[in-house]
Amino acid sequence: MKNENSAFRSSTEPLLDLAALRADTPGCEAVIHFNNAGCGLMARPVLRTMVDHLRLEAGIGGYEAAAARAAEVAGFYAALAELLGTRPDKEVEWCLRLSPHYYNTEDEVDAVAGAVAELAGGAR
């Protein structure tokens, strides 16, 4: 999909199977949900993964659960970088707001880091 520049491969073939996506999203059965800016309806795989992780945290602790899932988290960064056509080590970051951020150059990362440091220093 990263080589595509629109929602369609051709004028008649969509990139996404909307019926399958809706079928895999339980909330679509009950509501028409337009409030997606901050949090959309969860698909079954997302819900299952989150519930599984919460159960793991409840059983062994939060830090221990994070350590147990470290390889999966690293895999996420690699997959996101591949989707974006970049490198996971320098150009991809997932922020606390749960929004993906992609930086084209290390200079942009340095500029953002500098701005954050300045704000943190100014807030003291």
Side-chain angles (χ1 to χ4, degrees):
M1 190 167 120
K2 66 182 175 185
N3 294 325
E4 303 291 336
N5 60 8
S6 72
F8 294 89
R9 289 187 185 110
S10 67
S11 61
T12 59
E13 185 183 359
L15 287 174
L16 302 172
D17 182 345
L18 293 181
L21 292 171
R22 287 188 173 118
D24 203 24
T25 307
C28 287
E29 298 169 5
V31 298
I32 298 173
H33 191 267
F34 292 111
N35 187 17
N36 294 322
C39 185
L41 298 173
M42 281 189 229
R44 282 182 180 87
V46 174
L47 179 60
R48 183 174 39 254
T49 300
M50 290 179 69
V51 169
D52 288 348
H53 188 77
L54 288 173
R55 287 186 178 128
L56 182 63
E57 281 190 7
I60 66 172
Y63 291 120
E64 293 80 3
R69 304 279 187 196
E72 292 175 60
V73 172
F76 161 79
Y77 281 98
L80 183 59
E82 182 180 349
L83 178 68
L84 296 173
T86 188
R87 302 175 323 196
D89 58 335
K90 302 264 186 203
E91 298 174 342
V92 173
E93 184 59 45
W94 193 260
C95 294
L96 293 176
R97 289 187 318 267
L98 302 180
S99 300
H101 291 268
Y102 169 67
Y103 299 102
N104 291 322
T105 67
E106 290 180 38
D107 292 336
E108 290 179 39
V109 175
D110 291 340
V112 170
V116 170
E118 184 177 308
L119 288 172
R124 291 181 184 176

